[in-house]
Amino acid sequence: AAMALARFDLGHVDVILNGRFQHLPLVDASDVSSDDLLLDPVAGLFGLRFENVEGYWALPSNRRSLAMAIDRPALLTSFPSVTAWQARQKIVPEALDVENINARPDWAAMTMEERRAFAAADIAEWEAARNQIPPLRIALPSGAGANILFLRIRSDLRAVGLDARKVAYDAESDVRLIDMIAPYDSTSWFLTRFTCDLTPICLNDADEKMMEAAATNDLAVKARLYAEAEVLLVQHYIFIPLATPVR
């Protein structure tokens, strides 16, 4: 990516494609004008998927502490080149939501201070009754942007009494960053990324809802079943959404 930007600065190439969040600090450090930076309005998944749920992370209520602790808007402001980057608290984009079914997490209406206080109390209670919680191993790609993302998340976790360490993307981890583009606007695409045949940590009840939805031809019933599956996945905290992807 650095070589591509250098060639662009020198006029040797006209277009660079497929830049991702981890490349944004290189753009900031280069002579590329903000007028030359185009953010594609893509939909998809950008967040932390649980790969291991041992110890403290075995309970959904404890995984909720991670989801509550991360200050998403503040995280995104660490990348000033992209002012249109949108935070996300749920799996499926709001535009695909089903009326009268709320898939937002139960803490969505709380302030950041309230969320941190709640998570910190849960963590302190756990450690008082059991052992200290080991640092969360976060698998991230290489690149300056990934380092910034990690430092921001680690700071948020330390604010509630947790810690984290960055590991290589292909290393054993507790959570792994998922950065994927949806090929089409479909609730099923977002949810089926977390079925038991695709993810190490899954939920059979959600899988059953998705199979029922895929089997029916009634569009209203299909939409309702997918929405109910999202509620289950959000409440189980298999995946911690952070934002929309960046390209």
Side-chain angles (χ1 to χ4, degrees):
M3 182 66 73
L5 282 166
R7 289 175 60 79
F8 184 86
D9 281 342
L10 293 171
H12 296 323
V13 297
D14 297 319
V15 178
I16 304 172
L17 302 176
N18 203 33
R20 301 191 178 206
F21 86 99
Q22 61 262 39
H23 305 132
L24 288 171
L26 297 177
V27 178
D28 293 335
S30 72
D31 293 328
V32 174
S33 167
S34 59
D35 293 336
D36 289 328
L37 181 65
L38 175 64
L39 177 67
D40 288 334
V42 296
L45 296 167
F46 187 88
L48 302 175
R49 185 183 70 193
F50 269 93
E51 307 279 303
N52 173 54
V53 288
E54 295 180 356
Y56 176 76
W57 304 110
L59 298 177
S61 58
N62 292 343
R63 298 196 291 272
R64 177 180 59 190
S65 298
L66 172 61
M68 296 178 76
I70 298 174
D71 187 342
R72 290 158 180 78
L75 185 153
L76 301 188
T77 59
S78 300
F79 299 87
S81 297
V82 184
T83 57
W85 201 357
Q86 297 179 342
R88 179 171 291 162
Q89 296 177 340
K90 58 193 292 295
I91 298 171
V92 177
E94 284 76 6
L96 299 175
D97 282 353
V98 173
E99 190 176 357
N100 298 322
I101 296 182
N102 179 19
R104 289 184 175 278
D106 53 9
W107 46 263
M110 298 170 67
T111 65
M112 195 65 235
E113 292 74 18
E114 290 170 339
R115 283 159 47 184
R116 282 181 172 160
F118 187 95
D122 267 7
I123 292 160
E125 182 179 353
W126 173 276
E127 292 192 330
R130 299 171 181 83
N131 297 323
Q132 186 175 7
I133 303 166
L136 180 74
R137 297 169 300 171
I138 306 176
L140 294 168
S142 60
N147 294 336
I148 292 172
L149 182 78
F150 168 72
L151 292 173
R152 185 82 227 188
I153 292 174
R154 186 179 68 178
S155 176
D156 286 344
L157 292 184
R158 286 179 172 177
V160 298
L162 295 171
D163 204 354
R165 65 183 179 93
K166 182 177 181 287
V167 300
Y169 196 72
D170 58 354
E172 186 176 343
S173 65
D174 298 308
V175 294
R176 189 179 313 278
L177 182 73
I178 301 301
D179 182 6
M180 300 175 66
I181 299 299
Y184 45 86
D185 286 338
S186 168
T187 301
S188 65
W189 182 89
F190 286 88
L191 298 179
T192 53
R193 299 313 96 192
F194 305 104
T195 56
C196 292
D197 59 341
L198 290 180
T199 55
I201 311 301
C202 62
L203 189 61
N204 288 328
D205 289 348
D207 273 21
E208 290 176 5
K209 292 278 187 185
M210 285 184 259
M211 286 189 288
E212 289 181 47
T216 182
N217 293 321
D218 188 317
L219 295 181
V221 173
K222 185 185 294 287
R224 178 180 56 77
L225 287 168
Y226 277 131
E228 291 173 355
E230 184 188 11
V231 171
L232 291 173
L233 290 172
V234 168
Q235 292 175 345
H236 207 66
Y237 296 98
I238 291 170
F239 177 68
I240 310 298
L242 298 178
T244 56
V246 169
R247 295 292 185 273

